[in-house]
Amino acid sequence: MHEQIATPGPVGSPSRDLSLSQWETVTRQAIAAAREAGAGPALAGYEQALSIARQLIAAPPSGRAEDCVAALVVSYHNLADLHVEQGDADTAASHLCRAHEALIALMLNADRTASLRQAALRHSRETHFALISHVARHGPHPLVTRALRMGCLAFNVDGPTRH
């Protein structure tokens, strides 16, 4: 599992920092459940962590954009890992794609803060690598191909490539 947990930093807005702390607690509990009791009990925890991470991305606490984006990526990747362990590479691919696509959307959204967009850009390298690794382990997948193309197009926004 992706055990990178965004560690809470300085307290900015207590109610919002509680959400990041809550994400960390739920994620740690899900990781422990996966180790001790298997995929079933862990699945609900990972889904809850993802829900919290999405809320954090919608309204990130001041100065915590990096941690919020990391929480989103780790949540999707934990779900993907869990599905791979259960032999469901298709659902895993879907989670990996959603992570990558969410970051691409954040990067391209001019209404989001520069810090959130930059954090999404930095973490998109990790999601890109996860997609490539998934293909290497499980073979080509149409969702992965689409997500990778989407990422390539996002970085080539000026126009068609000249040869």
Side-chain angles (χ1 to χ4, degrees):
M1 296 293 136
H2 285 77
E3 296 183 37
Q4 302 168 356
I5 307 263
T7 308
V11 175
S13 167
S15 64
R16 290 192 181 181
D17 277 350
L18 177 63
S19 294
L20 194 51
S21 296
Q22 183 183 17
W23 173 85
E24 184 176 358
T25 299
V26 168
T27 300
R28 288 187 189 279
Q29 290 170 347
I31 290 168
R35 287 186 181 142
E36 295 166 14
L43 182 60
Y46 286 142
E47 288 173 344
Q48 182 182 4
L50 178 58
S51 175
I52 294 167
R54 285 180 177 148
Q55 292 172 26
L56 289 168
I57 290 295
S62 179
R64 302 303 299 276
E66 190 75 34
D67 291 334
C68 293
V69 172
L72 184 72
V73 171
V74 168
S75 295
Y76 274 119
H77 287 191
N78 281 342
L79 280 163
D81 289 347
L82 189 70
H83 286 285
V84 164
E85 289 172 11
Q86 292 180 305
D88 186 357
D90 285 343
T91 301
S94 177
H95 286 298
L96 295 174
C97 290
R98 286 184 197 139
H100 193 63
E101 291 165 355
L103 297 187
I104 299 300
L106 279 172
M107 289 178 349
L108 297 176
N109 187 341
D111 293 333
R112 302 310 301 258
T113 64
S115 60
L116 192 63
R117 293 172 69 196
Q118 290 167 357
L121 174 62
R122 282 189 294 277
H123 286 277
S124 71
R125 287 177 274 183
E126 182 181 347
T127 58
H128 181 91
F129 180 75
L131 291 169
I132 299 295
S133 296
H134 186 82
V135 169
R137 280 187 228 116
H138 305 285
H141 193 284
L143 292 178
V144 173
T145 301
R146 186 192 74 200
L148 289 170
R149 282 189 182 139
M150 180 181 168
C152 289
L153 290 172
F155 288 108
N156 189 23
V157 294
D158 291 335
T161 303
R162 292 190 180 11
H163 296 281

